Amino acid sequence: MTSIVSAVPDGQMYRILLIEDDQGDALLVEELLHDTGLRFELTTRTTLAEARTELSGSPIDCVLLDLHLPDVAGIDAVTAVRSLAPHTAVIVLTGLSEAQAGANAMAAGAQDYLVKGKVDGDLLHRTVRYAVYRSQTERTNAEAQAARLRAEENARLERGLLPQPILDTSTVRVTTRYLPGAAWALLGGDFLDVVEGEDGLLHAVVGDVSGHGPDAAALGVFLRIAWRSLVLGGHRGNDLLHLMERILIAERGSQHLFATCTLLTLDQSTATGTLHLAGHHEPLLTTAEGTQELAAAHGIALGVVPGLRRWPSTVVPLPATGALTLYTDGLTEGHNGATGERLGVDGLLTLIENLPPTDPADHVDRLIEKTHALNEGRHSDDLAVLRLDWGGRP
């Protein structure tokens, strides 16, 4: 028996599932619900097995649960229902001789209990409303606690994935942004860093570990720390990438994770930038004439063919005033509005062209906002952006 709706014209609609094998008791509960004045949809099932579909699929506000079902009884019935629908209010129906059963049921997770034969419309009205309210409050508190835990975990990951740049004498302005692929998600395996070496050159990296979640994030932290340590130790180019690959292989264990990255060495004295692309895409160069993608030689991603060591370098001339933007594919892999196509680099360049000239940090924020608006949540990937500005505003 399903979907019996009261004729009361207003108020909240309560979707109620009654699990009761006694037809007489079920009819009595239905009549009492009509006496409550609540708006409700009632679905009745006689066993827990029959109720599984509603509990796992259909949205239910409140379960009225008999403790003596053919396939489960007592506290086990409450535990089973709570496991199938942890955020649904549960009101237990007990007999007159079961004085302790109701209290035990509440200890097992039920919001309240009612004694059969001692229930009227007003009592049922108050019990249902209170149980649903309490369940919703518990769910809100649980979600808030989960959000706090995610925020704390992200803060710890950010310290590893988004470090403070080490800049001694450099006048280059650094702008960084990192966003997880979905709301409330943990940060993933994207990483970035900027340091000024003993040679006075500015070194930067943006990378992306395959996969998502804590394993990818942990490996991203390892690679970021390894890169910084190796750069400060004087390692450059192919030697640096080879050592990073060895670390990746050692830390990934049995998981076949790999990583892409772009290495940049910025030499303002010679107005050049040296690029090494390990399975990653080219940076964007912004000048007074506009923004374009730099042409650079490509090498293989770290960990795909260990020991191959094929990472050619590309030296590009730089203007006296300009900006370089390194980023992960979370910025371009999203959808380009309602067309269903990916934004891609061409779409990204079009967005940049249409943005008004502004402060670098504001420019990056507006660009990310535009890409998210076009994507409309259809593609979820982490996004890391590193922008380096020198010589004034391009």
Side-chain angles (χ1 to χ4, degrees), residues 200-223:
L201 303 181
L202 195 69
H203 304 276
V205 63
V206 165
D208 184 359
V209 177
S210 62
H212 302 278
D215 292 330
L219 189 54
V221 172
F222 278 125
L223 292 177

Side-chain angles (χ1 to χ4, degrees), residues 20 25 64-68 74-75 78 91-106 110 112-119:
E20 170 64 76
D25 286 345
L64 299 176
L65 175 65
D66 179 37
L67 286 183
H68 300 285
I75 301 305
V78 179
I91 301 173
V92 166
L93 304 176
T94 70
L96 289 171
S97 61
E98 299 174 302
Q100 189 60 33
N104 292 339
M106 291 185 66
D112 211 333
Y113 71 95
L114 294 171
V115 179
K116 295 179 181 179
K118 291 189 175 182
V119 183

Side-chain angles (χ1 to χ4, degrees), residues 160 163 166 191-198 203 205 221-236 239-240 243-244 247:
I166 299 178
F191 60 96
L192 54 84
D193 202 354
V194 179
V195 300
E196 183 180 351
E198 296 292 335
H203 304 276
V205 63
V221 172
F222 278 125
L223 292 177
R224 203 280 305 164
I225 294 174
W227 176 87
R228 173 174 283 204
S229 301
L230 292 169
V231 166
L232 293 176
H235 296 276
R236 304 288 184 265
D239 176 50
L240 171 58
L243 293 173
M244 289 179 65
I247 293 170

Side-chain angles (χ1 to χ4, degrees), residues 22 26 48 62 91 99 101 114 142 149 172 177 195 208 210 213 218 230 265 270 341 354 393:
D22 188 300
L48 179 64
C62 181
I91 301 173
L114 294 171
L149 292 175
V172 173
R177 295 291 186 271
V195 300
D208 184 359
S210 62
L230 292 169
T265 298
T270 61
E341 299 177 352
N354 293 328
R393 177 175 293 179

Side-chain angles (χ1 to χ4, degrees), residues 37-363:
L38 297 172
R39 298 181 67 233
F40 67 91
E41 294 178 356
L42 178 65
T43 300
T44 302
R45 295 291 180 262
T46 59
T47 65
L48 179 64
E50 292 178 357
R52 287 182 180 274
T53 301
E54 281 72 26
L55 290 171
S56 59
S58 305
I60 300 294
D61 296 310
C62 181
V63 175
L64 299 176
L65 175 65
D66 179 37
L67 286 183
H68 300 285
L69 300 172
D71 52 350
V72 66
I75 301 305
D76 290 340
V78 179
T79 303
V81 170
R82 292 289 291 175
S83 65
L84 291 169
H87 300 300
T88 298
V90 177
I91 301 173
V92 166
L93 304 176
T94 70
L96 289 171
S97 61
E98 299 174 302
Q100 189 60 33
N104 292 339
M106 291 185 66
Q111 272 67 42
D112 211 333
Y113 71 95
L114 294 171
V115 179
K116 295 179 181 179
K118 291 189 175 182
V119 183
D120 57 22
D122 289 339
L123 177 58
L124 184 58
H125 176 108
R126 292 193 301 271
T127 303
V128 169
R129 290 191 61 183
Y130 173 72
V132 171
Y133 171 78
R134 180 179 170 189
S135 177
Q136 291 173 344
T137 301
E138 290 174 352
R139 179 173 185 173
T140 300
N141 291 338
E143 290 175 347
Q145 175 65 13
R148 286 194 294 270
L149 292 175
R150 281 191 294 266
E152 292 172 1
E153 184 67 14
N154 272 342
R156 288 193 292 270
L157 289 174
E158 283 180 7
R159 289 195 291 270
L161 295 166
L162 291 173
Q164 287 296 318
I166 299 178
L167 303 176
D168 297 325
T169 62
S170 176
T171 59
V172 173
R173 177 173 178 179
V174 178
T175 303
T176 61
R177 295 291 186 271
Y178 193 165
L179 296 175
W184 308 114
L186 286 174
L187 294 173
D190 292 7
F191 60 96
L192 54 84
D193 202 354
V194 179
V195 300
E196 183 180 351
E198 296 292 335
D199 50 13
L201 303 181
L202 195 69
H203 304 276
V205 63
V206 165
D208 184 359
V209 177
S210 62
H212 302 278
D215 292 330
L219 189 54
V221 172
F222 278 125
L223 292 177
R224 203 280 305 164
I225 294 174
W227 176 87
R228 173 174 283 204
S229 301
L230 292 169
V231 166
L232 293 176
H235 296 276
R236 304 288 184 265
N238 273 28
D239 176 50
L240 171 58
L241 288 166
H242 171 64
L243 293 173
M244 289 179 65
E245 184 174 62
R246 289 187 61 187
I247 293 170
L248 180 148
I249 294 170
E251 295 295 341
R252 72 183 178 183
S254 60
Q255 301 184 74
H256 296 290
L257 298 175
F258 63 90
T260 67
C261 66
T262 292
L263 304 187
L264 168 67
T265 298
L266 183 61
D267 187 346
Q268 288 184 276
S269 65
T270 61
T272 59
T274 302
L275 293 169
H276 288 82
L277 306 181
H280 212 75
H281 43 260
E282 299 90 336
L284 305 179
L285 175 64
T286 299
T287 66
E289 287 72 37
T291 300
Q292 62 181 352
E293 187 177 41
L294 288 174
H298 283 258
I300 194 167
L302 305 182
V304 174
V305 185
L308 183 61
R309 303 181 69 164
R310 184 176 296 169
W311 302 293
S313 64
T314 302
V315 179
V316 295
L318 300 176
T321 296
L324 278 170
T325 302
L326 289 68
Y327 59 95
T328 58
D329 56 12
L331 194 63
T332 55
E333 285 294 305
H335 289 77
N336 189 8
T339 63
E341 299 177 352
R342 300 295 182 182
L343 179 65
V345 177
D346 290 339
L348 183 66
L349 292 174
T350 299
L351 288 181
I352 294 173
E353 181 181 350
N354 293 328
L355 287 176
T358 184
D359 174 83
D362 184 56
H363 185 276

